[in-house]
Amino acid sequence: MAERQISAGGVIFRRRDAEVDIAVISTKGGKVWGLPKGTAEKGENLARTAHREVREETGLEGHIIEKIGHIEYFFSFRDKDEIKRIFKIVYFFLMEYASGRVEDHDQEVDECRWVTIDEAVGLMRFKDEKEIIEKAKRMIRELESSEATGQRRP
């Protein structure tokens, strides 16, 4: 039977001229690019977990706009003489950059960098994270459209 883990993370973005950049992280010796995420600590809600994990893994502070969606997957690892199977659910939030520097990420991460949102899709190793970024891109476009017309989203 698989143990269940709940995690949260974020797509933190900034606007730069006509471009939208997001912060991505690399792990496993710089071989795997992904989105910042991590396991909830005791007493944390999903939004607080996402905010903390993004800050720790990217060095960036952001304002949560709304939930993007979630991904689910299984993974296994060896714990002593036993193979443990984990069912993981990761909730992602759209976050607008407020402050910080990507160089200030924690030791869990090999590198953090700003890339265009389109470049980020190509860097991701996993299909479900590519889909989260595509959804974030549509949400940012909707946000910009509502800002241009002076309408605020609920």
Side-chain angles (χ1 to χ4, degrees):
M1 181 144 159
E3 178 185 322
R4 198 171 98 167
Q5 275 186 6
I6 304 290
S7 291
V11 175
I12 186 165
F13 74 96
R14 69 177 183 189
R15 295 177 178 104
R16 189 175 43 84
D17 301 322
E19 292 287 341
V20 172
D21 294 333
I22 70 168
V24 296
I25 61 167
S26 72
T27 57
K28 300 190 187 334
K31 294 183 201 133
V32 177
W33 287 92
L35 294 170
K37 60 190 168 296
T39 307
E41 292 179 353
K42 191 170 177 73
E44 271 186 335
N45 65 29
L46 292 171
R48 190 173 305 277
T49 300
H51 186 264
R52 177 182 51 77
E53 287 291 339
V54 166
R55 185 182 64 246
E56 288 174 1
E57 293 188 356
T58 67
L60 306 174
E61 285 286 342
H63 303 292
I64 291 179
I65 295 174
E66 65 183 295
K67 190 167 17 169
I68 299 169
H70 72 279
I71 61 175
E72 301 173 354
Y73 56 93
F74 285 94
F75 70 94
S76 299
F77 68 95
R78 180 174 293 282
D79 183 24
K80 298 180 185 141
D81 293 332
E82 180 184 6
I83 300 285
K84 291 213 174 192
R85 190 161 156 81
I86 307 292
F87 174 62
K88 189 160 190 160
I89 304 170
V90 185
Y91 295 89
F92 285 98
F93 292 80
L94 184 64
M95 302 172 72
E96 189 160 13
Y97 168 74
S99 64
R101 298 172 345 118
V102 293
E103 296 82 11
D104 296 334
H105 63 81
D106 69 12
Q107 299 303 312
E108 251 180 79
V109 171
D110 294 316
E111 182 183 356
C112 177
R113 71 166 76 141
W114 288 108
V115 297
T116 67
I117 199 162
D118 291 326
E119 185 182 353
V121 172
L123 280 174
M124 294 300 106
R125 173 183 255 186
F126 300 108
K127 181 178 177 263
D128 48 11
E129 286 194 2
K130 291 176 190 275
E131 291 168 354
I132 289 289
I133 294 170
E134 290 288 358
K135 189 170 180 188
K137 183 177 173 181
R138 289 190 298 274
M139 292 168 72
I140 293 165
R141 213 177 293 130
E142 289 171 14
L143 188 63
E144 289 172 340
S145 175
S146 64
E147 288 171 354
T149 59
Q151 298 172 344
R152 297 203 68 145
R153 288 175 59 144

